[in-house]
Amino acid sequence: MSTPQPPVPQPPVPQPPAPQQPAPQWQGAPGVSYTSPIPVVRTHLGHALASEWTKIKSVRSTMWTLGIFLVLVVGIGFLVATQTDDASFTDVPFTIPAFFGLVLGQICLITLGVLVVSSEYGTGMIRTTFTASPQRHRVLTAKLLIFFAVAFVVSAVAIGVVGLFTQSLHSDTTGNEWGGTVLKGALYVSLLGVLSLAVGSMLRHSAGAITAMLGLVLVPAILPAFLLFSDSMRKIGEKMLDYNAPNSLAKIFGLDNEAGGGNAQLGLLAGVTAAAIVGAFVLLERRDV
C-alpha cells in the first residue's frame, strides 16, 4: 500500500476591500447666517454707572430712606425756624435749623449706604452682578459714585430749602453767609453714607454693618460723658467730644463760633472713609462671592 501524502496548504484567497461609507453631507443654514442686531462694544465704567443708577432708583428702600431723610431735615428745620426770632440770626447762618434734622437724618443715609451693597449679598443677586461685570472693582466704584452723588444732591437740596425758608422768615436780618454750610453739611453726611457702604461691602451683612455704623456714630457721642470723670482719660474724652458726628455737624453749622468751621472734623471723616474704601476694594478682590 502506498503512504498518503499530506495535504498541500492552499494560499489565502484575498478578500475584496470593504466598501467605504460615504461622508455625511451636512446641510448648511439656508440663506445668510444670523447676525445679532445688538452691537457688541467693550464695557466701561459708564455701563456700570448706568446699571447701579437703575438699581438704586428701582428699589423701595431708596425711596423710603430718602423720603424719611427729607421729612426729618426739612420738617424739623421748618419747625425750628418758625420758633426763632430775628435776634437768633445776627451772627449765625440761616441753615442752623437744618442741623437739628440732620442729627437724626444722617441715620437714614447710613442705612441706605449699607443696603446699597449688602442687600445684593443677602438676596444672592451679587452673583448675577459679578457675572455680568467680572471686573469687581468697577462695580464697587460705580456703587460708590452713584450713592455719593444721590446722597450729596438730596442733602444739599434739603439744607438749602431750610436755609431759604428761614431767610424768608427773617428777611430784615443780615445773617452770616450760609452757602458753605450747605456744601460742607451735605458733604459730611454723604461721606458718612459712603463709609457705611464700604463697611457693608466688607461685612456683607445688613444688620451687622448698620449696627457697626450706629456704634461708630453714637458711642463717641455718649462715651465722653464718662471719660471726662477720669483725669487719665480726659484728653481722649475731649477728642471724642470734638470729633463725634453731632458736634462735628454743630461746628460745620457754626453753633460753637470756633474758627475752622468743622474743616478738621470733615478731614478726619474723609480720611477714615478713604481707608475703609481701600479695605473694601482689597477684600472684594481676595474673597469669593
Side-chain angles (χ1 to χ4, degrees), residues 55-247:
K55 292 178 187 178
I56 200 171
K57 72 178 182 179
S58 301
V59 295
R60 295 180 180 178
S61 59
T62 302
M63 298 299 105
W64 277 104
T65 51
L66 292 182
I68 295 174
F69 174 81
L70 289 173
V71 169
L72 289 174
V73 177
V74 177
I76 295 177
F78 281 13
L79 183 61
V80 172
T82 56
Q83 305 301 317
T84 58
D85 53 19
D86 292 345
S88 302
F89 298 96
T90 54
D91 56 351
V92 294
F94 289 113
T95 50
I96 279 185
F99 160 77
F100 300 97
L102 280 179
V103 172
L104 295 176
Q106 62 185 344
I107 299 177
C108 297
L109 295 184
I110 289 173
T111 303
L112 181 59
V114 171
L115 292 178
V116 164
V117 62
S118 63
S119 60
E120 289 196 61
Y121 282 101
T123 60
M125 287 300 295
I126 195 66
R127 298 183 180 90
T128 304
T129 299
F130 287 153
T131 301
S133 178
Q135 297 83 3
R136 297 185 180 186
H137 64 278
R138 183 183 296 172
V139 174
L140 184 56
T141 301
K143 287 182 181 294
L144 291 169
L145 293 177
I146 290 296
F147 174 79
F148 177 79
V150 171
F152 183 82
V153 170
V154 173
S155 303
V157 169
I159 299 172
V161 167
V162 174
L164 291 174
F165 177 77
T166 307
Q167 188 175 20
S168 67
L169 295 179
H170 309 285
S171 56
D172 296 334
T173 304
T174 304
N176 289 348
E177 292 293 331
W178 52 276
T181 62
V182 174
L183 297 178
K184 291 197 293 185
L187 181 59
Y188 189 88
V189 294
S190 299
L191 286 177
L192 271 179
V194 172
L195 175 60
S196 304
L197 195 157
V199 172
S201 177
M202 289 187 287
L203 298 184
R204 299 183 173 186
H205 191 273
S206 299
I210 292 174
T211 302
M213 284 303 304
L214 289 180
L216 184 63
V217 171
L218 297 179
V219 170
I222 300 173
L223 195 58
F226 302 95
L227 295 180
L228 292 177
F229 287 107
S230 173
D231 293 336
S232 60
M233 304 295 290
R234 179 176 294 275
K235 290 185 178 180
I236 298 177
E238 291 175 350
K239 288 298 181 181
M240 283 189 179
L241 199 61
D242 287 338
Y243 287 90
N244 62 50
N247 283 348

Side-chain angles (χ1 to χ4, degrees), residues 276-288:
I277 290 174
V278 172
F281 275 108
V282 172
L283 291 178
L284 186 66
E285 295 294 340
R286 290 185 176 181
R287 295 189 301 191
D288 199 359

Side-chain angles (χ1 to χ4, degrees), residues 41-52:
V41 296
R42 292 182 61 86
T43 58
H44 50 76
L45 181 60
H47 297 121
L49 291 173
S51 174
E52 295 303 324

